């Protein structure tokens, strides 16, 4: 019996990578049939020598869309310029990642093009407590740090197109393009290929989720109270609000608004909060 991580699920077969790096094509045991439909890419499983999945380890977390288990972190990539950073889009993405209870890490790529605005933005997110990496696939800045952050974890990359996500992955692991190509060749032989999430292995213990559309996680159904909890910087300040819960908008005596006036909370982040809040309220009214 060996343990491994499910990296792909195609046509009823689960591809399980063991710590040696070998990938085994496996089927699910009869008595696990019930779990077969819920078995997800990212699950840690025990497999027999003849290719049966025998048991599933308890999950740390799971997402429905994309269907994946045990994501340790989301690497949110933006570019210093080309395309310019759109703070509201960035904050919307961070909100949804927090709402999924997955820690985000912010990467500002194309740092070779950075300006004063980039430095300001960096400090806003560092002050909130986020890990912020500045990278450039052109100069090599920050690539070792990124590699370090990815080590031993299952990570997903998110962010607008054109910011350099593929370039970063190739910089972290030059085999990236080659190896993903090799895996998909094998998969193409299946007749009814489905587009599930799959994992790309950087090394025996580090995986990258390869799924288009991760950035499209949506916030349908989130309440304003839940939204408040996705802004980590509000947490330090909400104890002094007169009303509980407080939406930190129209209420008198609000410690979040006091912190905003005192400069401890960024105006830009607060504006994102108000915009996302009204989006949620519009959704409810409909
Ligand atoms: P993706 O859509 O997020 O996967 O972005 P790509 O990796 O395809 O990169 C988009 C463009 O940005 C390409 O033309 C890259 O050459 C360029 N690019 C990637 N990384 C950097 C960087 O660090 N600095 C600069 N100036 N350009 C970069
Ligand atoms: Zn308040």
């Amino acid at each position: 019996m060996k343990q491994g991580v499910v990296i792909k699920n195609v046509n009823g077969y689960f591809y399980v990578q063991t710590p040696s790096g070998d990938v085994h094509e496996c089927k699910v045991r009869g008595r696990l049939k019930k779990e077969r439909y819920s078995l997800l890419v990212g699950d840690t499983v025990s497999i027999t020598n003849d290719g049966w999945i025998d048991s599933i380890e308890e999950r740390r977390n799971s997402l429905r869309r994309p269907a994946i288990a045990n994501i340790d972190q989301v690497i949110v990539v933006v570019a210093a310029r080309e395309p310019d950073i759109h703070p509201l889009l960035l904050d919307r993405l961070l909100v949804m990642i927090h709402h999924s209870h997955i820690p985000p890490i912010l990467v500002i790529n194309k740092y070779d093009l950075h300006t004063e605005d980039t430095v300001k933005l960096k400090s806003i997110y560092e002050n909130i407590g986020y890990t912020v990496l500045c990278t450039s696939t052109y100069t090599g800045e920050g690539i070792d740090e990124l590699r370090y952050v990815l080590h031993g974890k299952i990570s997903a990359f998110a962010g607008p197109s054109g910011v350099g996500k593929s370039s970063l992955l190739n910089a972290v692991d030059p085999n990236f393009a080659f190896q993903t190509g090799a895996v998909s060749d094998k998969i193409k032989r299946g007749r009814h290929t489905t587009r599930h999430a799959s994992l790309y292995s950087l090394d025996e213990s580090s995986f990258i989720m390869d799924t288009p559309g991760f950035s499209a996680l949506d916030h349908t159904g989130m309440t304003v109270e839940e939204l408040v909890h996705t802004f980590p910087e509000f947490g330090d300040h909400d104890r002094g609000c007169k009303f509980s819960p407080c939406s930190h908008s129209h209420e008198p005596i609000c410690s979040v608004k006091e912190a905003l006036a005192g400069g401890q909370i960024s105006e830009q982040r607060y504006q994102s909060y108000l915009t996302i809040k009204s989006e949620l309220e519009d959704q409810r009214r409909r």
Side-chain angles (χ1 to χ4, degrees):
M1 202 84 82
K2 285 181 245 181
Q3 267 210 340
V5 174
V6 178
I7 60 166
K8 224 173 236 294
N9 165 16
V10 179
N11 300 333
Y13 285 95
F14 294 91
Y15 294 81
V16 178
Q17 180 167 327
T18 56
S20 64
D22 296 337
V23 177
H24 303 261
E25 191 179 73
C26 297
K27 284 278 212 182
V28 175
R29 276 250 193 255
R31 64 185 172 76
L32 289 181
K33 272 278 154 72
K34 262 192 283 176
E35 284 164 87
R36 170 184 156 158
Y37 298 98
S38 61
L39 185 60
L40 293 176
V41 167
D43 272 323
T44 298
V45 294
S46 295
I47 59 170
T48 62
N49 287 334
D50 49 351
W52 290 97
I53 292 175
D54 196 69
S55 63
I56 307 167
E57 294 294 298
E58 207 171 313
R59 277 179 195 147
R60 301 191 290 282
N61 60 49
S62 66
L63 294 176
R64 273 187 52 212
R65 261 183 299 162
I68 186 124
N70 298 330
I71 289 272
D72 292 304
Q73 58 192 4
V74 179
I75 313 296
V76 178
V77 185
V78 294
R81 280 194 287 144
E82 299 173 19
D84 285 341
I85 296 171
H86 189 317
L88 176 60
L89 290 187
L90 172 58
D91 290 331
R92 234 190 241 127
L93 191 51
L94 290 171
V95 159
M96 293 180 294
I97 294 165
H98 273 283
H99 193 56
S100 308
H101 305 288
I102 302 172
I105 288 189
L106 182 59
V107 170
I108 307 178
N109 189 41
K110 307 198 190 185
Y111 210 70
D112 50 292
L113 304 177
H114 84 272
T115 63
E116 261 174 52
D117 285 347
T118 322
V119 177
K120 272 186 214 141
L121 186 116
K122 176 175 184 263
S123 77
I124 287 177
Y125 289 91
E126 276 175 342
N127 289 340
I128 298 168
Y130 287 117
T131 299
V132 184
L133 302 183
C134 300
T135 60
S136 169
T137 64
Y138 285 15
T139 67
E141 173 180 7
I143 302 300
D144 281 342
E145 282 95 328
L146 178 59
R147 215 175 269 130
Y148 179 78
V149 155
L150 298 175
H151 186 75
K153 302 219 158 114
I154 299 181
S155 308
F157 276 65
S161 74
V163 296
K165 296 181 296 298
S166 320
S167 308
L168 280 171
L169 288 168
N170 284 322
V172 165
D173 179 357
N175 293 324
F176 182 71
F178 167 71
Q179 288 193 14
T180 42
V183 173
S184 57
D185 279 349
K186 181 168 185 186
I187 298 316
K188 267 185 219 138
R189 281 188 241 130
R191 251 164 44 88
H192 304 289
T193 304
T194 43
R195 274 307 297 162
H196 290 286
S198 57
L199 293 178
Y200 168 75
S201 150
L202 282 179
D203 59 51
E204 2 10 283
S205 66
S206 318
F207 299 91
I208 308 288
M209 187 179 96
D210 163 27
T211 305
F214 188 76
S215 307
L217 279 173
D218 80 303
H219 56 39
T220 312
M222 194 188 300
T223 65
V224 170
E225 222 176 312
E226 286 169 328
L227 176 67
V228 167
H229 291 296
T230 66
F231 280 74
E233 67 267 51
F234 293 1
D236 308 333
H237 296 288
D238 67 354
R239 265 174 251 122
C241 296
K242 178 166 180 179
F243 295 94
S244 177
C246 178
S247 78
H248 313 310
S249 50
H250 55 275
E251 297 90 344
I253 312 183
C254 167
S255 52
V256 165
K257 282 192 282 180
E258 279 164 25
L260 177 70
Q264 295 109 292
I265 287 177
S266 127
E267 180 65 39
Q268 182 188 296
R269 287 275 296 171
Y270 185 70
Q271 288 308 323
S272 288
Y273 166 72
L274 291 182
T275 305
I276 299 169
K277 175 172 167 290
S278 67
E279 287 168 0
L280 292 175
E281 286 162 348
D282 284 350
Q283 274 176 11
R284 289 200 162 236
R285 249 176 256 123
R286 257 183 254 128

